[in-house]
Amino acid sequence: DMSLAKQSTDYFVTLYTKQPSADGFGNNNANDGRVLSASPGSSSSTGSNKQTAAVTPEDQQTLLAVLQFLKKNKLSESVEILRREAGLPENSLDPKANESAGAGSGGAAGIVDLEGGDASSLLSRVTGSSSAGAQAPTKGTVQSGCSAVAEDQPDVSVVLSAYSQQGDPTLYKVYYRDLKKFIETVLDCHRAELSQVFYPLFVHMYLELVYNNHESEAKAFFEKFSGDQECYYEEDLRILSGLTKKEHMRGNETLLDFRTSKFVLRISRDSYQLLKRHLQERQNNQIWNIIQEHLYIDIFDGMPRSKSQIDAMSGSLAGEAKREANKTKVYYGLLKEPEIELPLDDEDEEAENEEGKPKKKKPKKDSVGSKSKKQDPNAPSQNRIPLPELKDSDKLDKIMYMKEATKRIRLGPDNLPSVCFYTFLNAYQGLTAVDLTDDSSLIAGGFADSTVRVWSVTPKKLRKVKSAADLNLIDKESDDVLERIMDEKTASESKIMYGHSGPVYGISFSPDRNYLLSSSEDGTVRLWSLLTFTCLVAYKGHNYPVWDTQFSPYGYYFVSGGHDRVARLWATDHYQPLRIFSGHLADITCTRFHPNSNYVATGSSDRTIRLWDVLSGNCVRIFTGHKGPIHSLAFSPNGKFLASGATDGRVLLWDIGHGLMVGELKGHTDTIYSLRFSRDGEILASGSMDNTVRLWDAMKAFDDLETDDFTAATGHIHLQDNSQELLLGTYTTKSTPVIHLHFTRRNLLLAAGAFNP
Amino acid sequence: MADREERRFAEVSRESVRLMAEGAGVELGDDVAALLAEDVCYRLREATQSSSQFMRHAKRRKLTVEDFNRALRWSNVEAICGYGAQDALPFRSVKEGELFFVEDRDVNLVELALATNIPKGCAETMVRVNVSYLDGKGNLEPQGTVPTAVQSLSDDLLKYYQQITRAILGEDPHLMKVALLDLQSNSKIAALLPYFVYVISGVKSVSHDLEQLNRLMHMVKSLVQNPYLYLGSYVRSLVSSVMYCILEPLAASINPLNDHWTLRDYAALLLSHIFWTHGDLVSGLYHQILLSLQKVLSDPVRPLCSHYGAVVGLHALGWKAVERVLFPHLPAYWANLQAVLDDYSVSNAQVKADGHKVYGAILVAVERLLKMKALSLSQSAEGQSGAHPGSVVGAVSYRVNSPGLSPPPEPLSEAALGIASHLQVGGAGCHWEEWTPVPLPAMYCELYSFFGDSLAVRFSTGTGFGTHSPCTPSQLGDSRKEPPGPASNLDTTRKMPQLTANLNISPRQDGSPRTDPPPPTTRGAPRSAGLSREVFPKARFTSPQTTPPAFSFLIGGRQMGQRCQGRRPFQTMFATTPPVSAIPPRTYAHKLPVIGRVGKPVRRWTCSHYSLHLPL
């Protein structure tokens, strides 16, 4: 898989150039006062060791490709280091020696399984030898399984040879028309299924013509048949129509992916047989070859699907997900909450519930929690991935949370939430991202002028910690030391943090409210301290704009995704990513952690959503069905469902356990930039560019669809068109696009956006 | 390339590429240029496509130059500079060279650097929260935009604003006076203007409280008089608030004890003041005002106090407004008023009193109209100093299509009367009905038909008659015709009793009338016989005059211009010296107490005949 190889080489090269600065930040990181005993690798080795135990010949090939690329670009030193590290013989780049190198692929076992290894050793290795650092991403890229298998020769340009076969260019039209005629004459039940092949065939035939320099034929072909394609491919067709020269194909990443990854179609066995028979009868080898080489036909037994069923699932850049891609077991259950004793002598509690003792008991009972007492069968084991231990302050916060939760309003169709709107005024520089802390006390905005601003939305002002000299003077033993370390003189309603050199596209508070993450166009993710309001670390790894980032619900870990089409999992105290999730065919536009922190969902402009296992780095779910880039994701609080919103203005609901689409919510007229479930999951709120917030009956949407076994087995869903029933309310703003939504702990809906006069 | 007509994209032509190459000192072959052009197009499209994702992630709808530059930068192409301005760049063409270029003005850096006026209003980015929907309930319609000035006010300004509004709307009259004075002279309150305007627009909510309305009107006056304030488009808002006080049937009017009349008078004065001082800020304001006044006037459903407001409003706007709106409406309106005034029932007493108010207002307005018109005529006649005696009428009947975007200042004071003729400024874009003024005699005649002597008295005492030579029919030249005969066509007689003594109606002349300037095509539509009856259903007609007039002349004019397609001429024959005995009993005139000028008893009714020769 050369596109991946290319990415990794890019990565490799930049790592070399950026190493010193990264080191600097590493040290900085070490100075960070936060100490966490858990490190991600320490207990996760079991899962990933298996996979990386043996280096397959494919990996070997990829390595050679990387070496070839480096050599070609005269990075001889890098070549040398990588070669030595991989244990390849000196002449491995000699084409003649390829055979032998491939045969002796055991030598490549020198690629140490860094991911499985202990994190501390990873850290030491990374800082110790820079080449090892370079290895990790290479490894991760290759390893993150579900992408297409690498079968290429070790030269990047050879990827294009996929289209080297020559047919008579004038006959392409005839072939296509012939097939079209055939499909139009088959029985209705097969027609819809077979029509799926039109689009990929059309694209590949067109590209083949372009590749072989038949420009005018290609144009004529496009002219003739582009109108037949489904309307949701319009965007791709527009890109395609601009591309008429072989030279242009080379630089176009979208098309590179289209060629190198197989377009996946689901077709029933009967329909497939029909098609196959027809093509063989007509000796239509041109088309047959394309189907063989570039299409992956996922054949199933049973009734052919209807047009609406197909339309619901198609629309992504690379067709539908293969069925087996969604078969892996996903532990979507929630982790057991740590049991926290509510202090009985709580003054507030007493003050509030003066009159009766029974009330006092109630919150305590809740704190132990009926559901958290028993382990959810669908939940991952408590230590599947290592999580940071709770600090005292975290426990206090949990107590606060539970107290608030007892005052939570139960929402429903008859009891809609109140909406408060946080309007950013005078945001002429452009508001690009917003986040609120879980307790709704702080709001942060990322701006196009590279700044990050934090506001306190409570009367409590933002204060910095005193300078080191002043800190020396305070009495460390006093009870209110945490209060004493703060510098009253710095108290203000808002703070501005400078550091990025490009628009800030993603922003996320840590659950403990001590940190803030921001991702920017400058390719970095920065960690800011909300105690000093300074930057602690700049995580460099994405070499392109980073579109989104988010903290894990348990803190410590965070995920980022960007233009380089990979998502990275980081820990705040490592300046290298712990996992690299690769597989998307286009930019990763949004990233979200599962409530149990064991999974990460990413949305992409290839119009798919992928769910990644944090432990193994594997892609465990691929959801297709959106017709535009996905810009918002939200997990339901119980972890069972995922909601996604895209530029097509639709919200899709997914059952994570079954890997199925379970709902479609139509109503918005513009890109949906924010989605949020209410605290108990009864209501889904969606905020959009169309200046509205819409509330949907999530309970009903999920209840109506207790999935039957057949649907679960085949993945063929019947979506009801019940958007109107599920829509509980549409709330308009005053010419303010809604870019963030948040339910407070008591279920008050907060929305945020910048006023655009 | 054959299918040039079927372009899917903007293309850079090979000629452009060759030109650019020449600019860089390179000669390109045709095929090379074509290839390059195609490649350039592709690269541009590619960059545009990738720039769109920067827009999407910035959560914007508008693609900016910045987005495009980012895309260029990420594909290792130099960004283009100098296009990031917020304003549109003017695109110019040079005809000779068929060149297009973007205008690029020099920026004087020294001036910029040393400029002392640091731009204000760079307001701090901030977050404000408001509860938009309570329990999911709220206004479901889009709420439009938030107030135009969202920038925050400094604490001082805010305090000032609170103090001022509290003082003006508060109890203490002395405080109010101080506040109003300050509002009138403070030079630093520009930022507060929207807020004050907003407060003033609250007239609708206090329409029950005359006192508050008065105070708000005073506030308007102070704002208008403040020389440091640029009212801009807020004029419109102010005007609409003032108009509200003039025209609306205020809740305060329900109680007859409330003197809402004074408020209306004051507001009308204010309106004219705003208009004369700030009318140029809003294009078409004059017409909008006139139209709305006219609408109220022609709406019989409206209460009389609204009508009163419309009349005083017109009066305040100047005699030309009266001439254009009130005068043409008078015949139609008269009937209604007459009906009210004729009703002697007890239940009608209040309405009748209101009717008298309106009557008085109209009377004042039309008298001023007559007076001013006469004055302007005489002055213009003087100006022409008898160069062409026959042109006198022509000078009157200039056409005013529309006063144009900025209505020229009409004379308020008599001293400024000379500029009346400037009114002819043709205006574009105004949909004002083409309109030709009625010559003075016709106007007087018509008005006299309504008001009888109460009008004449006032008129005659207005200007000094002796200064002008009396008009004789001969002076009017061929523009006047001798009446063919007395009263042969009763159908077209004006049916107001007082007039019948003085008035003979001549049959309509065939052929085109003479006095009025073009366009003649719109004239000459035969007057429908029944029209006058429709208009004055209540008017009773008494017998025609008994004595033939000594001499008479015809006045061409129009009637009911607002309602008819074209102008329908009517010709009136006047007796310049009606015999005293000829005057029939004024069946209606005597019913109308002369409101508003009780102190001035009707003087000699005979004076009426002066009026005919004096202005002409």
Side-chain angles (χ1 to χ4, degrees):
Chain A
D1 178 344
M2 289 317 281
S3 73
L4 290 176
K6 184 173 162 270
Q7 276 167 22
S8 52
T9 50
D10 286 352
Y11 185 78
F12 184 88
V13 173
T14 31
L15 258 179
Y16 263 80
T17 54
K18 297 265 167 83
Q19 200 61 49
S21 59
D23 264 337
F25 281 111
N27 294 336
N28 195 354
N29 194 9
N31 290 339
D32 180 8
R34 206 174 129 94
V35 182
L36 279 170
S37 58
S39 57
S42 57
S43 62
S44 66
S45 49
T46 43
S48 43
N49 261 343
K50 267 180 274 168
Q51 292 188 334
T52 50
V55 175
T56 58
E58 283 80 16
D59 290 350
Q60 176 80 23
Q61 294 284 323
T62 314
L63 256 177
L64 289 175
V66 172
L67 285 170
Q68 196 76 35
F69 177 83
L70 291 175
K71 201 177 174 193
K72 213 166 134 193
N73 289 284
K74 306 223 162 51
L75 297 158
S76 54
E77 203 177 323
S78 315
V79 172
E80 199 53 34
I81 294 167
L82 180 62
R83 198 187 49 75
R84 210 183 310 127
E85 200 52 44
L88 292 176
E90 193 124 10
N91 60 348
S92 64
L93 290 181
D94 188 356
K96 269 182 266 168
N98 266 350
E99 295 280 307
S100 64
S105 66
I111 306 173
V112 189
D113 177 20
L114 288 169
E115 266 185 50
D118 190 87
S120 57
S121 82
L122 177 135
L123 194 63
S124 66
R125 285 188 64 107
V126 165
T127 43
S129 82
S130 51
S131 62
Q135 206 95 70
T138 316
K139 198 72 212 46
T141 319
V142 175
Q143 187 208 7
S144 45
C146 55
S147 55
V149 202
E151 303 166 320
D152 311 305
Q153 284 98 57
D155 183 0
V156 177
S157 63
V158 181
V159 178
L160 294 173
S161 68
Y163 288 126
S164 57
Q165 66 154 325
Q166 272 277 20
D168 185 349
T170 50
L171 286 180
Y172 275 56
K173 260 197 241 178
V174 181
Y175 293 145
Y176 191 89
R177 197 185 307 127
D178 184 49
L179 182 73
K180 192 175 148 191
K181 216 178 274 168
F182 163 70
I183 290 178
E184 274 165 2
T185 53
V186 296
L187 282 175
D188 280 3
C189 62
H190 299 301
R191 191 188 302 144
E193 286 212 309
L194 291 181
S195 298
Q196 292 179 85
V197 302
F198 280 140
Y199 176 68
L201 265 184
F202 169 80
V203 176
H204 281 294
M205 289 173 89
Y206 176 76
L207 290 178
E208 215 166 279
L209 284 170
V210 170
Y211 183 79
N212 292 317
N213 289 322
H214 304 300
E215 195 179 325
S216 53
E217 283 90 351
K219 275 184 178 164
F221 183 77
F222 190 94
E223 215 58 51
K224 188 135 180 93
F225 300 114
S226 64
D228 300 343
Q229 311 305 327
E230 297 285 352
C231 56
Y232 41 80
Y233 290 121
E234 195 186 340
E235 198 79 359
D236 290 343
L237 289 176
R238 198 177 305 143
I239 296 174
L240 212 56
S241 65
L243 189 126
T244 49
K245 292 239 183 301
K246 186 179 175 180
E247 297 80 61
H248 295 158
M249 283 173 82
R250 204 174 291 254
N252 197 315
E253 287 163 358
T254 318
L255 293 171
L256 207 72
D257 285 326
F258 198 89
R259 278 198 313 274
T260 51
S261 60
K262 291 192 170 186
F263 196 94
V264 181
L265 302 170
R266 284 192 206 172
I267 293 183
S268 71
R269 189 170 298 283
D270 295 349
S271 305
Y272 179 69
Q273 295 294 358
L274 268 175
L275 178 70
K276 194 172 167 188
R277 210 174 307 135
H278 168 80
L279 290 176
Q280 281 171 351
E281 271 170 22
R282 294 295 181 96
Q283 307 249 305
N284 199 339
N285 285 331
Q286 200 74 26
I287 287 184
W288 186 242
N289 280 341
I290 290 178
I291 291 179
Q292 294 278 320
E293 273 180 36
H294 298 294
L295 267 54
Y296 180 96
I297 298 186
D298 194 0
I299 300 162
F300 62 87
D301 294 304
M303 282 280 290
R305 291 186 296 167
S306 69
K307 177 99 172 76
S308 66
Q309 277 178 313
I310 293 168
D311 279 347
M313 301 293 286
S314 55
S316 100
L317 197 63
E320 294 180 46
K322 296 172 193 168
R323 269 174 308 157
E324 56 264 39
N326 288 341
K327 291 295 180 208
T328 324
K329 162 110 176 130
V330 173
Y331 301 99
Y332 55 79
L334 301 182
L335 295 178
K336 211 168 70 175
E337 287 293 316
E339 291 184 19
I340 298 168
E341 294 292 319
L342 259 192
L344 281 170
D345 55 340
D346 195 305
E347 297 141 40
D348 287 351
E349 209 59 33
E350 244 149 2
E352 278 177 33
N353 302 325
E354 199 87 309
E355 69 282 355
K357 292 251 166 183
K359 268 192 180 173
K360 207 157 130 191
K361 291 257 173 183
K362 212 181 165 191
K364 198 198 162 193
K365 207 180 165 193
D366 271 15
S367 75
V368 193
S370 49
K371 67 176 172 187
S372 60
K373 232 173 192 173
K374 225 169 64 186
Q375 175 75 36
D376 184 342
N378 290 311
S381 66
Q382 208 68 9
N383 53 359
R384 188 168 178 266
I385 61 162
L387 292 171
E389 274 174 16
L390 283 185
K391 290 177 290 181
D392 286 350
S393 58
D394 296 332
K395 287 179 182 161
L396 277 175
D397 198 54
K398 280 264 187 292
I399 292 167
M400 280 302 296
Y401 174 81
M402 285 162 191
K403 274 189 204 158
E404 290 281 294
T406 58
K407 294 168 191 158
R408 183 179 297 164
I409 294 165
R410 274 207 77 80
L411 300 177
D414 306 318
N415 198 10
L416 294 177
S418 301
V419 190
C420 282
F421 204 96
Y422 284 94
T423 313
F424 285 74
L425 298 174
N426 305 314
Y428 305 114
Q429 66 275 58
L431 177 70
T432 42
V434 177
D435 195 30
L436 276 149
T437 52
D438 187 69
D439 68 347
S440 320
S441 64
L442 301 175
I443 190 169
F447 291 87
D449 67 351
S450 316
T451 58
V452 176
R453 289 158 201 254
V454 183
W455 284 267
S456 167
V457 294
T458 59
K460 201 179 153 196
K461 298 213 163 163
L462 301 173
R463 295 170 301 175
K464 288 185 192 177
V465 170
K466 285 179 184 162
S467 69
D470 291 339
L471 283 177
N472 270 329
L473 301 175
I474 62 172
D475 175 14
K476 274 125 195 136
E477 302 305 315
S478 69
D479 289 340
D480 58 344
V481 67
L482 288 179
E483 188 60 29
R484 290 192 185 199
I485 58 171
M486 306 312 288
D487 187 356
E488 270 314 315
K489 281 180 296 216
T490 59
S492 65
E493 205 176 86
S494 77
K495 295 268 187 247
I496 307 181
M497 299 187 284
Y498 301 97
H500 281 295
S501 58
V504 179
Y505 291 120
I507 203 162
S508 174
F509 279 106
S510 72
D512 62 3
R513 296 187 294 283
N514 284 330
Y515 302 94
L516 178 69
L517 277 173
S518 62
S519 70
S520 162
E521 192 243 12
D522 63 13
T524 64
V525 178
R526 278 176 189 268
L527 181 75
W528 309 84
S529 163
L530 297 183
L531 291 173
T532 58
F533 295 98
T534 52
C535 181
L536 301 175
V537 199
Y539 300 95
K540 300 183 180 181
H542 294 277
N543 294 313
Y544 292 95
V546 189
W547 298 131
D548 200 8
T549 186
Q550 203 210 6
F551 254 114
S552 146
Y554 293 91
Y556 187 58
Y557 301 107
F558 65 93
V559 63
S560 65
H563 181 62
D564 59 1
R565 293 179 274 171
V566 292
R568 286 167 161 79
L569 179 85
W570 311 74
T572 46
D573 56 357
H574 290 63
Y575 65 86
Q576 291 288 332
L578 304 180
R579 298 287 182 276
I580 294 184
F581 306 116
S582 166
H584 276 298
L585 300 178
D587 298 33
I588 289 177
T589 47
C590 52
T591 53
R592 279 292 168 275
F593 256 99
H594 190 275
N596 68 19
S597 200
N598 278 258
Y599 296 91
V600 163
T602 56
S604 162
S605 39
D606 68 6
R607 308 188 283 273
T608 64
I609 300 149
R610 283 170 185 252
L611 191 71
W612 309 87
D613 188 342
V614 166
L615 180 67
S616 65
N618 284 339
C619 175
V620 290
R621 290 286 181 272
I622 304 176
F623 296 132
T624 63
H626 272 298
K627 317 288 190 248
I630 290 140
H631 274 273
S632 52
L633 291 170
F635 282 97
S636 68
N638 61 11
K640 274 174 98 171
F641 301 103
L642 178 69
S644 59
T647 54
D648 57 10
R650 299 182 313 147
V651 177
L652 296 183
L653 305 172
W654 310 91
D655 181 333
I656 295 169
H658 295 99
L660 290 175
M661 185 195 293
V662 292
E664 178 189 16
L665 306 175
K666 286 184 281 192
H668 281 294
T669 56
D670 210 329
T671 307
I672 296 159
Y673 278 116
S674 54
L675 282 170
R676 190 64 77 119
F677 282 93
S678 67
R679 292 282 173 161
D680 294 322
E682 312 98 330
I683 300 257
L684 174 66
S686 59
S688 158
M689 195 73 175
D690 64 10
N691 298 346
T692 61
V693 175
R694 282 169 207 258
L695 301 179
W696 310 89
D697 192 340
M699 287 285 254
K700 193 171 175 204
F702 296 135
D703 278 353
D704 285 1
L705 273 144
E706 272 318 317
T707 31
D708 53 289
D709 292 340
F710 173 76
T711 316
T714 58
H716 301 167
I717 40 118
H718 290 275
L719 281 187
Q720 308 154 267
D721 188 16
N722 58 351
S723 296
Q724 281 315 306
E725 291 168 44
L726 296 177
L727 179 65
L728 298 178
T730 303
Y731 302 108
T732 53
T733 67
K734 299 172 180 173
S735 39
T736 310
V738 184
I739 67 171
H740 188 75
L741 289 169
H742 178 84
F743 275 95
T744 66
R745 290 170 173 178
R746 298 189 189 186
N747 264 341
L748 170 70
L749 179 57
L750 307 181
F755 172 63
N756 280 342
Chain B
M1 270 167 244
D3 47 3
R4 276 216 152 245
E5 68 284 350
E6 250 217 83
R7 286 182 206 179
R8 276 185 297 268
F9 308 103
E11 282 181 6
V12 177
S13 70
R14 67 184 82 171
E15 287 76 25
S16 310
V17 171
R18 201 168 320 118
L19 267 175
M20 294 296 258
E22 266 173 34
V26 185
E27 278 295 327
L28 287 185
D30 226 17
D31 44 345
V32 178
L35 275 175
L36 266 177
E38 210 174 341
D39 195 55
V40 164
C41 295
Y42 175 74
R43 300 292 165 203
L44 278 177
R45 277 198 296 278
E46 205 181 25
T48 314
Q49 267 152 9
S50 63
S51 67
S52 73
Q53 67 186 349
F54 289 98
M55 173 190 74
R56 268 191 280 115
H57 283 282
K59 291 152 179 125
R60 261 187 280 116
R61 280 197 197 82
K62 193 175 166 191
L63 189 73
T64 62
V65 178
E66 186 72 355
D67 293 330
F68 196 81
N69 273 339
R70 282 184 205 291
L72 288 180
R73 235 172 276 143
W74 282 112
S75 46
N76 279 328
V77 179
E78 247 177 72
I80 48 167
C81 298
Y83 293 86
Q86 293 289 318
D87 314 321
L89 294 166
F91 205 51
R92 293 282 164 81
S93 69
V94 175
K95 264 184 201 146
E96 305 88 59
E98 283 186 33
L99 270 177
F100 296 90
F101 65 96
V102 172
E103 199 178 35
D104 202 1
R105 276 184 294 119
D106 290 339
V107 177
N108 190 341
L109 285 177
V110 178
E111 211 167 80
L112 204 68
L114 301 179
T116 47
N117 59 327
I118 295 142
K120 285 173 197 149
C122 309
E124 188 58 33
T125 307
M126 64 173 85
V127 184
R128 284 288 171 269
V129 65
N130 62 311
V131 179
S132 310
Y133 297 93
L134 205 57
D135 293 333
K137 286 175 208 66
N139 186 4
L140 291 190
E141 297 106 56
Q143 301 181 352
T145 53
V146 298
T148 33
V150 281
Q151 84 248 41
S152 64
L153 296 173
S154 70
D155 283 350
D156 293 342
L157 273 181
L158 205 62
K159 221 175 274 171
Y160 176 85
Y161 167 76
Q162 286 165 348
Q163 297 284 356
I164 286 282
T165 43
R166 215 169 286 158
I168 292 178
L169 301 176
E171 299 297 310
D172 190 339
H174 177 69
L175 259 186
M176 180 185 95
K177 220 171 265 175
V178 173
L180 285 175
L181 264 179
D182 191 71
L183 210 53
Q184 201 173 318
S185 55
N186 198 319
S187 60
K188 294 165 191 154
I189 55 169
L192 286 173
L193 180 61
Y195 295 82
F196 285 128
V197 170
Y198 179 75
V199 168
I200 290 164
S201 70
V203 283
K204 295 171 183 72
S205 55
V206 292
S207 77
H208 57 280
D209 191 340
L210 264 185
E211 183 60 25
Q212 296 285 35
L213 287 174
N214 260 322
R215 285 157 186 259
L216 288 175
M217 286 301 107
H218 277 99
M219 202 159 155
V220 175
K221 191 174 181 214
S222 294
L223 287 179
V224 169
Q225 287 181 336
N226 189 323
Y228 304 102
L229 278 182
Y230 174 74
L231 295 183
S233 51
Y234 290 113
V235 164
R236 203 181 285 277
S237 174
L238 287 178
V239 162
S240 75
S241 295
V242 172
M243 296 276 276
Y244 181 88
C245 286
I246 300 176
L247 294 178
E248 284 308 307
L250 305 169
S253 325
I254 295 170
N255 184 351
L257 296 178
N258 277 336
D259 187 15
H260 57 99
W261 309 105
T262 319
L263 173 74
R264 289 177 204 276
D265 288 342
Y266 183 76
L269 276 178
L270 200 52
L271 177 71
S272 79
H273 185 73
I274 296 175
F275 173 68
W276 296 121
T277 51
H278 295 85
D280 53 333
L281 291 178
V282 180
S283 61
L285 184 67
Y286 183 68
H287 287 294
Q288 288 166 19
I289 296 176
L290 284 196
L291 277 175
S292 47
L293 290 174
Q294 179 187 331
K295 216 178 115 210
V296 170
L297 201 61
S298 57
D299 184 357
V301 183
R302 294 256 189 178
L304 286 165
C305 54
S306 290
H307 292 155
Y308 176 85
V311 173
V312 292
L314 286 168
H315 180 57
L317 283 176
W319 63 272
K320 290 215 187 293
V322 176
E323 186 183 19
R324 283 183 62 171
V325 179
L326 179 60
F327 178 67
H329 263 81
L330 215 44
Y333 184 70
W334 198 256
N336 295 323
L337 187 60
Q338 190 84 54
V340 169
L341 297 176
D342 278 354
D343 189 347
Y344 285 95
S345 60
V346 178
S347 59
N348 192 48
Q350 185 54 46
V351 182
K352 189 157 171 281
D354 288 356
H356 286 315
K357 268 290 207 200
V358 181
Y359 176 87
I362 295 177
L363 189 57
V364 173
V366 297
E367 275 170 0
R368 184 183 167 79
L369 165 66
L370 286 173
K371 202 160 94 183
M372 298 308 278
K373 196 166 167 114
L375 199 60
S376 74
L377 277 180
S378 66
Q379 288 195 348
S380 61
E382 234 171 40
Q384 289 168 2
S385 64
H388 194 302
S391 66
V392 175
V393 174
V396 189
S397 49
Y398 53 78
R399 175 163 302 121
V400 182
N401 288 334
S402 73
L405 296 179
S406 50
E410 288 186 51
L412 263 187
S413 61
E414 300 198 354
L417 272 176
I419 58 171
S421 52
H422 294 182
L423 248 183
Q424 306 188 42
V425 187
C430 287
H431 315 288
W432 189 263
E433 198 178 322
E434 201 175 293
W435 172 77
T436 312
V438 180
L440 184 59
M443 186 182 284
Y444 177 71
C445 164
E446 191 168 349
L447 289 175
Y448 189 82
S449 74
F450 297 130
F451 294 98
D453 284 348
S454 56
L455 179 70
V457 168
R458 285 287 288 180
F459 195 111
S460 56
T461 52
T463 45
F465 300 121
T467 50
H468 306 293
S469 59
C471 233
T472 60
S474 60
Q475 270 180 304
L476 293 170
D478 59 352
S479 65
R480 303 268 186 250
K481 284 250 164 79
E482 290 294 315
S488 50
N489 188 351
L490 292 182
D491 245 3
T492 51
T493 313
R494 306 291 294 174
K495 291 172 180 168
M496 289 312 276
Q498 315 93 306
L499 260 196
T500 47
N502 306 347
L503 175 74
N504 275 331
I505 300 303
S506 65
R508 204 174 59 79
Q509 300 274 312
D510 288 328
S512 72
R514 316 122 301 262
T515 43
D516 284 70
T521 45
T522 54
R523 321 188 68 230
R527 182 179 173 189
S528 63
L531 183 68
S532 57
R533 285 198 193 284
E534 284 167 33
V535 175
F536 301 105
K538 291 210 163 186
R540 274 154 285 169
F541 181 62
T542 47
S543 61
Q545 81 284 358
T546 45
T547 351
F551 90 82
S552 59
F553 57 87
L554 285 173
I555 297 167
R558 67 160 184 165
Q559 189 184 17
M560 307 306 303
Q562 303 299 331
R563 200 167 295 177
C564 309
Q565 221 7 56
R567 282 174 299 276
R568 291 177 178 161
F570 61 88
Q571 289 143 9
T572 315
M573 189 171 63
F574 275 101
T576 39
T577 51
V580 177
S581 58
I583 290 167
R586 285 180 287 155
T587 35
Y588 295 103
H590 76 274
K591 285 183 190 169
L592 302 172
V594 191
I595 316 279
R597 54 195 98 263
V598 210
K600 291 186 180 174
V602 179
R603 288 196 226 155
R604 298 176 302 150
W605 56 269
T606 39
C607 284
S608 60
H609 71 273
Y610 284 137
S611 57
L612 283 176
H613 28 241
L614 280 177
L616 295 176

